[in-house]
Amino acid sequence: MTETPAWTALKAAAKADGARRIRALFDAEPDRLEGLTFEAAGLTLDLSKQPWSREGATAAVELAVAAGVEAARERLFNGEIVNLTEGRPAMHMALRAAAGADFKAAGKAVSEEVEDVRDAMQDFVAAVRSGMAGGATGRPFKSVLHIGIGGSDLGPRLIWEALRPLVPEIQLRFAANIDGAEFAAATAGLDPEETLVVVVSKTFTTQETLANARAAKAWLEAKLGAGKADSHLAAVSANPAEAGRFGIAEDRVFAFRDWVGGRYSVWSAVGLSCAIGLGWPAFEGLLAGAAAMDEHFETAPLDANMPLMLALAHVFNRNGLERPLRAVVPYARRLALFPAYLQQLEMESNGKRVTQGGLPVSQATAASVFGDAGTNGQHAFFQLLHQGTDIIPVDFIALAEDHEGPKSHRNMLLANAIAQAEALMIGQENLNEPHRHFPGDRPSSFILLERLTPETLGALIALYEHKTFVEGVLWDIDSFDQWGVELGKVLAGRVLRELDGGDGPDHDPSTAALIARLAR
Ligand code: F6P
């Protein structure tokens, strides 16, 4: 695909900006901080430490205009088919809209159905939390074992770790991987009599999830007796018939539709375990925070639009300055899983190589994302961020107010976050001792949450969802499919048959040797 004039202009602007120091841009542009600081839904985003000048940022906004981001956003919110290869809308916004909304998916009204499922969830949450819905022996549930993988795991796990009480009344455990060690760890110390198992799978065909669900049923029945596990099982799926065939009672199956992508699904019944563990008001708060970000994204002008400007800053680095990596560092232990969550959101959504029209893309697409909580990351990979040969932009995330632990820690934690962003940008010259020289000019974004609440967490996740969508529009790719995961699944099925002793096709010598060695 040939490059559009807007892309060429962005790259020219980035080249010019790349020759200037970020620090010097503050002197050249007295209103830089104000112009590049954005407020929405309880979040503040500072993009002034990004490498763009005013002209560079303007070229980026013009790229968004030329790429038709506004029209694409309208199509998204109107529930049009934006996932072309699967012929589906992507209506995660409908799931978090306040009661009385009127969203459509492919022309069909969906808000009423969304609210019905939410009501059923709320009733179930109340019943479990009050002890009304208990186990086979009449004991209330003290634990929820959440079984699911990818989008059916990462969101609930992130939300639980971010918002969980330190000593929960109902604890959540997660089993995602098809690794016996994971199942063993997830069930260790749990009493089946007091455990509710929630099986979450959009398709209800995922190998790992079904194997873990079967293991969980066996684990329950080993204590409760054969056929006695029904009251301990619930399911969440866009394929409720398959959940029924698995043996989960109809009134325990919470459905969502295929117009929600797995990695955008935590707002649906996929969040059921979190709602049980955290209580319904917390789950509602999460939805409300995301809905506030939706409203901002849908209505704010482009140059004041937080998800859009965050996307443009990333694209400026990725395409304008050819930086293929990005680090995400939350200075909040409770958000330590956020980089892992973003890996699926961004890399599964935008790790694509053909356009919506099936042609090779004209621009590099998603950056690889990695990260860990600060300050831990400082003592691990920050050496490379400061002095490595690649320039890796960083997203810093921090909380203005904390509410737990020793009070004296707050300032130390925040001082580190602020200082790292500053150090990356300003560097430190030391020509006599090259190993002590910090080149600086390494860009970052700084996201500040007033406090970590269900609302601000919902807004933060929705911010990244929408910025991922904007990037997909700029790159002209389908952000809502994930065909790249299919080949490995098919080959795993074949290899599994061979490990189990069956015949298989010809393999390369390396693959054949591994199978021969490990088959039993
Ligand atoms: O294999 C990738 C994937 O399809 C993800 O997109 C999805 O979130 C995950 O698997 C789990 O799928 P499911 O919810 O259907 O079990």
Side-chain angles (χ1 to χ4, degrees):
M1 284 268 292
T2 46
E3 190 167 278
T4 63
W7 271 112
T8 308
L10 176 96
K11 289 184 180 176
K15 197 165 173 220
D17 286 350
R20 305 168 73 174
R21 303 275 305 173
I22 301 171
R23 178 66 187 86
L25 292 171
F26 283 91
D27 300 327
E29 300 170 355
D31 58 351
R32 177 174 178 80
L33 175 62
E34 200 190 345
L36 288 171
T37 300
F38 306 87
E39 302 271 349
L43 272 50
T44 304
L45 168 66
D46 175 359
L47 293 176
S48 66
K49 290 196 190 79
Q50 288 292 346
W52 49 15
S53 64
R54 186 179 295 116
E55 294 75 34
T58 303
V61 173
E62 282 167 2
L63 172 70
V65 173
V69 168
E70 285 160 297
R73 180 180 60 185
E74 211 174 305
R75 286 197 295 279
L76 177 76
F77 275 84
N78 285 345
E80 290 177 36
I81 291 175
V82 292
N83 176 354
L84 295 185
T85 66
E86 295 180 311
R88 294 170 186 165
M91 274 315 287
H92 35 288
M93 297 80 63
L95 296 167
R96 54 217 191 192
D102 185 22
F103 276 105
K104 295 189 176 55
K108 211 169 155 270
V110 296
S111 293
E112 209 178 302
E113 179 182 311
V114 165
E115 284 173 39
D116 288 348
V117 176
R118 240 190 256 164
D119 289 346
M121 281 173 73
Q122 188 176 1
D123 289 347
F124 186 57
V125 168
V128 172
R129 286 179 64 84
S130 67
M132 292 270 291
T137 56
R139 306 232 303 252
F141 294 124
K142 289 199 179 139
S143 312
V144 174
L145 173 58
H146 178 109
I147 293 176
I149 197 164
S152 296
D153 166 67
L154 291 162
R157 212 186 271 253
L158 165 70
I159 287 163
W160 174 247
E161 288 304 327
L163 301 175
R164 57 170 289 172
L166 292 175
V167 184
E169 277 170 43
I170 297 181
Q171 61 166 326
L172 263 56
R173 296 279 186 91
F174 294 86
N177 204 344
I178 185 67
D179 178 339
E182 174 129 329
F183 188 83
T187 49
L190 296 191
D191 183 345
E193 281 189 59
E194 297 176 343
T195 301
L196 174 70
V197 175
V198 180
V199 183
V200 183
S201 174
K202 179 175 168 183
T203 55
F204 230 84
T205 59
T206 302
Q207 184 196 51
E208 295 93 325
T209 300
L210 293 185
N212 278 330
R214 281 192 291 272
K217 204 167 170 184
W219 175 79
L220 289 168
E221 289 186 343
K223 175 96 186 267
L224 304 169
K228 296 274 170 52
D230 289 6
S231 58
H232 292 252
L233 290 167
V236 177
S237 186
N239 187 359
E242 201 53 44
R245 275 191 283 280
F246 181 83
I248 297 179
E250 207 181 324
D251 64 343
R252 286 292 184 87
V253 179
F254 298 86
F256 62 103
R257 294 283 184 169
D258 67 4
W259 43 256
V260 186
R263 54 195 173 274
Y264 299 83
S265 65
V266 72
W267 324 101
S268 71
V270 168
L272 179 67
S273 308
C274 291
I276 293 172
L278 301 171
W280 190 253
F283 189 67
E284 273 193 325
L286 191 79
L287 303 186
M293 186 55 75
D294 291 341
E295 196 192 336
H296 166 81
F297 176 56
E298 195 183 7
T299 57
L302 296 191
D303 60 359
N305 196 300
M306 188 185 278
L308 182 115
M309 293 305 293
L310 185 60
L312 292 179
H314 289 166
V315 164
F316 199 84
N317 282 291
R318 176 73 185 106
N319 302 106
L321 297 164
E322 296 178 18
R323 293 170 178 165
L325 299 167
R326 204 176 89 251
V328 177
V329 188
Y331 277 72
R333 179 192 169 279
R334 283 179 169 275
L335 294 176
L337 296 180
F338 196 53
Y341 179 84
L342 289 186
Q343 282 177 335
Q344 190 200 20
L345 177 63
E346 298 191 17
M347 293 159 78
E348 196 171 80
S349 296
N350 287 343
K352 310 284 165 69
R353 52 181 290 286
V354 292
T355 64
Q356 293 267 28
L359 298 169
V361 291
S362 64
Q363 308 298 336
T365 59
S368 300
V369 179
F370 68 97
D372 192 6
T375 63
N376 299 19
Q378 290 173 209
H379 302 276
F381 56 86
F382 268 58
Q383 163 65 37
L384 185 148
L385 298 184
H386 286 286
Q387 291 186 318
T389 48
D390 290 308
I391 295 186
I392 302 177
V394 183
D395 288 359
F396 288 94
I397 302 169
L399 313 179
E401 295 300 332
D402 57 3
H403 56 280
E404 53 195 346
K407 288 277 163 263
S408 54
H409 283 29
R410 184 238 182 217
N411 283 0
M412 285 195 272
L413 181 64
L414 285 174
N416 275 282
I418 296 166
Q420 288 295 331
E422 184 180 35
L424 285 165
M425 178 175 70
I426 62 175
Q428 188 177 61
E429 197 168 292
N430 192 332
L431 301 179
N432 296 329
E433 296 176 290
H435 58 283
R436 289 183 191 266
H437 177 74
F438 290 77
D441 223 26
R442 299 186 171 212
S444 63
S445 310
F446 205 101
I447 299 174
L448 197 60
L449 280 60
E450 204 47 47
R451 288 172 74 91
L452 183 60
T453 63
E455 288 79 5
T456 55
L457 179 62
L460 179 70
I461 298 172
L463 164 67
Y464 275 88
E465 285 181 349
H466 291 316
K467 89 100 196 165
T468 301
F469 167 75
V470 171
E471 290 171 344
V473 175
L474 298 177
W475 292 323
D476 187 23
I477 55 178
D478 188 334
S479 296
F480 297 106
D481 64 10
Q482 59 282 317
W483 295 102
V485 301
E486 294 305 322
L487 176 61
K489 289 183 191 174
V490 173
L491 296 200
R494 280 189 215 161
V495 173
L496 176 60
R497 281 191 291 281
E498 289 177 68
L499 290 182
D500 285 344
D503 290 335
D506 279 349
H507 296 283
D508 62 88
S510 165
T511 307
L514 284 168
I515 293 171
R517 170 148 184 202
L518 297 171
R520 46 181 79 118

